[in-house]
Amino acid sequence: MAIPLSRSEERNVTSMEKSAWTEQEEEEDEFKECLEEPNGSVTPVFEDSLESNEVEKQKVVIMRAFVEREDSSAKDVDDFMIRRFLRARDLDVEKASAMFLKYLSWRKAAIPNGFISASEISTNLAHNKLFMQGVDKKGRPIVVGYGNRHKQGNIEEFIRYVIFALEKICSRMPRGQEKFVCIGDLQGWGYSNSDIRGYRASLSILQDCYPERLGKLYIVHVPFIFTTAWKMVYPFIDKNTKKKIKFVEDKKLRSTLLSDIDESQLPDVYGGKLSLVPIQDC
C-alpha cells in the first residue's frame, strides 16, 4: 500500500528527520529470554503534546489524511491514537496506516456494539483473575493479573474477555496518560493454567489493536515450569514489547515495585496501602 505524498510533504518530513527528530533512547540492556537472567527497563514518558515532536506531528497529519480517505470512521479517533500506531511502526506512515486500517476493520467485527457486556464473558469474570488499583510514579494505572486463576476454555470468550479488560483499562487512564503497567503474578501457576493459544491471542490483540498502551509488565513469583510456556510465547512478542517486560526475583519484589510505585499506590498484597479491586468493578 503506497501512500502518495506531495513534494512539499516529502521535503518537510525529510528535513525534519535530519534536523529536528531525536529517536527514543534505546534501552541500555537487551531483554534476556532466560528466566535465570531477568531484565527490564523503564519506559520513557512521552509528553502529552503533539507539539513536542515536529516530525511526529507532521506524520500524524499525513497519516490521518490517508486513513480518513480509506475509512471515514478514522475521523472519530484522536491524534494520540494515530500517534500510538505510528510509534508502534517506528514512524513509518505506510506500515502504521496499514496496521491502523486493519484495526478499524477488526474493531467493527469484534466490538460491533462498542463494548463487551459482562454476560458475554461470565465464565472468565468468575475466575476473578484481573484487578486494578492505584497508579505508578508516572501516573500509569496499575493492573494485577493472577496466572493461576486462568483456565483453558472457550477461546472466543477469552478473546472477548481480553478486549473487555483492555477497554476497561483504557477508559480508566488518567487525563494525559496513554499507558498502563501490569503485575503478572504467577504464584501457583502450573500446567493446568498453561494456555499457549490464549496467551498468543491476547498478545496479538494487545500488540496489534492496542499498540503503545503497555508501559511495563512485571512478571513475579515465577515458577521454573513456566519456562516451557515462555519459550513458546516469546517468539510472538515484538521487540518494543520485549523491552517492557521485567522478571522480578522474589527477594527483590517489594524493592523493585517500590522503585516505580509509591507505597500509597502499591497493592496491599505486595506491601502497599491499597486493596485490589476486580476489573469488572472498576
Side-chain angles (χ1 to χ4, degrees):
M1 178 181 64
I3 299 177
L5 305 181
S6 69
R7 289 185 178 178
S8 62
E9 288 174 330
E10 289 177 341
R11 285 196 298 271
N12 286 340
V13 173
T14 301
S15 175
M16 286 183 292
E17 285 176 336
K18 290 180 179 179
S19 62
W21 179 42
T22 301
E23 292 194 21
Q24 299 173 19
E25 293 183 2
E26 294 291 334
E27 303 297 337
E28 293 184 357
D29 300 314
E30 292 183 354
F31 182 83
K32 304 297 182 183
E33 180 174 359
C34 299
L35 294 180
E36 290 76 16
E37 298 183 35
N39 182 44
S41 55
V42 177
T43 303
V45 176
F46 300 109
E47 295 180 35
D48 183 30
S49 171
L50 293 175
E51 306 294 328
S52 63
N53 188 313
E54 285 298 321
V55 167
E56 287 190 342
K57 180 182 176 183
Q58 181 70 16
K59 290 195 173 187
V60 165
V61 171
I62 295 169
M63 178 171 160
R64 176 176 287 284
F66 176 78
V67 296
E68 287 185 358
R69 288 198 301 268
E70 296 294 311
D71 189 330
S72 61
S73 66
K75 296 177 180 179
D76 298 328
V77 308
D78 61 27
D79 285 347
F80 296 107
M81 177 176 281
I82 297 291
R83 185 176 66 175
R84 288 194 296 273
F85 278 84
L86 274 168
R87 286 176 170 171
R89 289 298 176 264
D90 299 320
L91 300 188
D92 185 310
V93 176
E94 184 172 336
K95 291 180 180 179
S97 295
M99 180 186 186
F100 180 70
L101 291 171
K102 184 177 180 180
Y103 158 76
L104 291 179
S105 296
W106 167 85
R107 189 173 183 88
K108 291 171 186 175
I111 322 176
N113 299 320
F115 66 93
I116 303 293
S117 67
S119 62
E120 298 177 67
I121 53 174
S122 57
T123 300
N124 279 272
L125 287 179
H127 293 160
N128 220 28
K129 53 195 170 188
L130 275 182
F131 298 79
M132 284 186 71
Q133 184 61 282
V135 296
D136 75 352
K137 292 178 181 179
K138 296 180 180 180
R140 300 176 295 192
I142 300 167
V143 178
V144 178
Y146 289 102
N148 70 333
R149 299 184 184 183
H150 175 68
K151 308 295 181 183
Q152 292 189 52
N154 185 302
I155 187 65
E156 296 303 322
E157 180 183 333
F158 179 63
I159 289 173
R160 288 194 293 273
Y161 175 75
V162 171
I163 298 170
F164 168 88
L166 287 168
E167 288 288 303
K168 177 76 75 169
I169 293 166
C170 292
S171 71
R172 293 293 304 274
M173 295 281 183
R175 182 176 178 81
Q177 184 55 253
E178 298 184 68
K179 299 178 183 290
F180 69 95
V181 298
C182 181
I183 301 172
D185 196 320
L186 298 182
Q187 188 164 27
W189 186 95
Y191 288 122
S192 64
N193 308 115
S194 182
D195 181 10
I196 304 303
R197 187 182 178 195
Y199 297 159
R200 289 179 179 176
S202 57
L203 184 63
S204 176
I205 293 170
L206 174 66
Q207 295 180 158
D208 298 339
C209 303
Y210 298 84
E212 295 301 305
R213 284 299 200 182
L214 177 65
K216 194 166 186 178
L217 169 60
Y218 308 88
I219 302 183
V220 307
H221 295 143
V222 185
F224 181 76
I225 59 173
F226 180 71
T227 306
T228 301
W230 177 247
K231 288 181 178 179
M232 296 178 70
V233 173
Y234 183 82
F236 296 88
I237 306 175
D238 68 34
K239 62 181 180 65
N240 291 328
T241 303
K242 287 174 183 175
K243 294 175 181 179
K244 300 171 183 178
I245 301 173
K246 180 169 187 175
F247 285 91
V248 184
E249 298 177 43
D250 287 353
K251 63 182 180 181
K252 297 180 180 179
L253 176 56
R254 192 167 187 273
S255 62
T256 298
L257 294 179
L258 285 176
S259 68
D260 292 333
I261 303 170
D262 189 82
E263 186 178 23
S264 66
Q265 297 295 305
L266 187 67
D268 55 8
V269 293
Y270 303 112
K273 303 294 186 181
L274 296 180
S275 300
L276 288 174
V277 178
I279 196 164
Q280 60 267 31
D281 297 332
C282 293

